[in-house]
């Protein structure tokens, strides 16, 4: 029997959120929105089936990570399980004793059905099971910020997990700890997605070809050719506008995106400055890391290419001086 002092963990998965976010991470921004109709119509279509297979979520990696914090008391996944995209996960979820909570399609249920149901269940569980110590929220929506804050006020340690690039910074900041799905052991890093033309543009090109081939002779052929030319020009203009809009969005993202290493370096600098207020200027490296995680729960030295926190400190020798003596690691701000 588990000891009463053992950590007890509750896990809540907004399953649609993690599936869609990972699909976008693998195939490119807004990829799921573009493919949604095709997925709903026939997920066994060879091209769609291949894209879904490449973006399969490793549910076991998520549950194993949550179990690293303590004994799993309950694990719930919220989704429309009648949807073919989610149905393929049912067997492995049931095998891991995950409680599948059925949510009906948004049109018939509610736009934020998963958010509201998950939040209500979480708060109710915390009152019914006061011995729960950890809450793991697998989602990336900023709508969960109030839930994370409430769980922390009730004395629970809150961990958020989401897909990098699709998780709101406010959610990560509202939790005690944040972990990116792609950093979990066993999860393969996706290759950089390739830009592809939209389906509408491709179908337009096919339609244009068909119009040209089916045009008749004489004046009818001339009118058909003129009509086809006009349609082709209109489609080309739409295609150019789409590509320009996507290019502008990409450029804006590149301008506003902060380099993760630079952000981590600034975070280290702030932690050293704030910690250098006591009698000693030397600080324990573990305490500095804990301080950095409190300031930014999404900080992870492994996510930016360092094997350990010591390696991260050595990589920032211009601002941090590291002293290693036996098992003790001390660090101070460099003059």
């Amino acid at each position: 029997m588990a000891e009463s002092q053992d950590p007890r963990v509750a896990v809540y998965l907004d399953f649609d959120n993690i599936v869609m976010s990972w699909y976008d991470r693998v195939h490119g921004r807004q990829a799921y929105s573009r493919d949604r109709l095709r997925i709903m119509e026939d997920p066994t279509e060879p091209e769609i089936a291949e894209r879904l297979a490449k973006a399969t979520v490793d549910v076991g990696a998520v549950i194993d990570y949550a179990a690293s914090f303590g004994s799993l008391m309950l694990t719930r996944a919220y989704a429309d399980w009648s949807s073919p995209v989610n149905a393929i996960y049912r067997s492995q979820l049931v095998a891991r004793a995950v409680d599948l909570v059925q949510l009906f399609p948004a049109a018939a249920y509610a736009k934020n059905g998963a958010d509201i149901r998950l939040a209500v269940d979480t708060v109710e569980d915390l009152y019914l099971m006061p011995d729960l110590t950890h809450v793991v929220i697998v989602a990336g929506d900023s709508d969960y910020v109030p839930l994370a804050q409430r769980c922390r006020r009730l004395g629970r340690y809150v961990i958020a997990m989401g897909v990098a690039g699709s998780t709101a910074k406010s959610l990560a900041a509202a939790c005690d700890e944040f972990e990116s799905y792609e950093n979990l052991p066993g999860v393969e890093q996706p290759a950089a997605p390739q830009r592809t033309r939209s389906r509408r543009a491709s179908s337009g090109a096919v339609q244009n070809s068909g119009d040209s081939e089916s045009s008749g002779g004489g004046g009818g052929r001339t009118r058909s050719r003129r009509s086809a030319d006009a349609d082709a020009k209109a489609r080309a203009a739409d295609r150019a506008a789409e590509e320009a809009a996507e290019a502008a969005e990409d450029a804006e993202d590149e301008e506003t995106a902060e380099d993760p290493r630079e952000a981590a370096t600034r975070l280290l600098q702030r932690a050293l400055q704030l910690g250098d207020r006591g009698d000693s200027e030397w600080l324990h490296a573990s305490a500095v890391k804990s301080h950095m995680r409190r300031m930014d729960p999404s900080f992870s030295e492994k996510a930016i290419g360092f094997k350990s926190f010591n390696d991260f400190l050595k990589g920032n020798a211009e601002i941090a001086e590291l002293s290693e003596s036996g098992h003790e690691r001390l660090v101070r701000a460099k003059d």
Side-chain angles (χ1 to χ4, degrees):
M1 187 172 106
E3 297 295 334
S4 59
Q5 64 268 25
D6 287 347
R8 296 164 68 85
V9 184
V11 187
Y12 303 89
L13 299 94
D14 184 343
F15 206 76
D16 284 327
N17 183 287
I18 196 73
V19 167
M20 294 178 188
S21 297
W22 188 238
Y23 192 95
D24 287 348
R25 176 70 177 84
V26 172
H27 297 299
R29 189 164 45 109
Q30 299 300 319
Y32 193 90
S33 296
R34 291 194 296 270
D35 293 343
R36 182 189 294 273
L37 288 178
R38 297 174 66 189
I39 292 172
M40 294 298 104
E41 289 172 359
D42 185 10
T44 62
E45 178 190 335
E47 181 183 356
I48 289 298
E50 182 182 358
R51 289 170 70 81
L52 287 171
K54 288 182 178 178
T56 300
V57 174
D58 188 343
V59 177
V62 175
I63 297 176
D64 290 343
Y65 170 76
S68 69
F69 291 95
S71 301
L72 296 182
M73 294 296 101
L74 62 90
T75 306
R76 292 201 181 106
Y78 298 75
D80 176 10
W81 299 108
S82 64
S83 169
V85 179
N86 298 325
I88 59 177
Y89 291 96
R90 282 187 302 195
S91 59
Q92 58 173 308
L93 286 166
V94 171
R96 296 300 299 263
V98 178
D99 183 13
L100 306 184
V101 181
Q102 171 66 32
L103 297 178
F104 295 98
Y109 187 75
K111 178 180 181 296
N112 295 321
D115 305 23
I116 296 171
R117 179 70 184 274
L118 189 154
V120 170
D121 286 353
T122 303
V123 174
E124 181 181 43
D125 290 339
L126 295 184
Y127 282 103
L128 293 176
M129 294 179 281
D131 56 345
L132 286 176
T133 58
H134 292 64
V135 174
V136 181
I137 302 173
V138 184
D141 199 329
S142 60
D143 289 346
Y144 291 110
V145 168
L147 173 62
Q149 293 172 330
R150 176 57 59 89
C151 292
R152 293 182 72 184
R153 285 201 296 271
L154 291 174
R156 272 56 170 202
Y157 190 87
V158 182
I159 305 101
M161 182 192 300
V163 176
S166 298
T167 301
K169 291 184 179 180
S170 56
L171 177 60
C175 299
D176 294 291
E177 190 170 332
F178 172 81
E179 186 63 65
S180 294
Y181 167 74
E182 50 263 54
N183 290 335
L184 299 183
V187 175
E188 294 184 6
Q189 296 293 327
Q194 296 180 348
R195 180 182 295 279
T196 59
R197 284 177 23 175
S198 67
R199 189 185 181 205
R200 185 176 67 177
S202 300
S203 61
V206 172
Q207 181 66 34
N208 180 35
S209 175
D211 289 346
S212 299
E213 291 176 358
S214 63
S215 59
R221 179 183 299 150
T222 302
R223 284 193 298 273
S224 297
R225 186 180 298 114
R226 285 175 181 172
S227 177
D229 289 345
D231 290 344
K233 289 179 180 178
R235 282 190 289 269
D238 289 343
R239 194 158 56 244
E242 271 187 19
E243 292 174 354
E246 289 179 355
E249 288 177 359
D250 290 344
E252 183 179 352
D253 287 346
E254 289 176 2
E255 290 176 1
T256 57
E258 188 175 28
D259 181 79
R261 289 205 177 198
E262 291 180 3
T265 297
R266 283 195 294 274
L267 187 66
L268 172 61
Q269 193 168 25
R270 287 200 303 273
L272 292 174
Q273 291 170 346
L274 292 171
D276 188 16
R277 294 182 297 180
D279 295 333
S280 175
E281 60 181 356
W282 288 97
L283 307 168
H284 287 280
S286 58
V288 172
K289 181 177 180 178
S290 297
H291 192 181
M292 293 174 66
R293 292 297 295 268
R294 286 194 296 271
M295 291 191 293
D296 183 1
S298 65
F299 168 75
S300 170
E301 68 276 4
K302 293 182 175 61
I304 54 177
F306 294 96
K307 292 183 178 180
S308 67
F309 188 66
N310 280 353
D311 290 339
F312 170 70
L313 293 175
K314 293 174 182 177
N316 288 279
E318 69 280 1
I319 64 170
E321 182 179 352
L322 181 65
S323 174
E324 302 181 72
S325 176
H327 295 291
E328 191 173 51
R329 304 288 186 274
L330 300 175
V331 61
R332 68 177 178 182
K334 199 165 187 178
D335 296 332

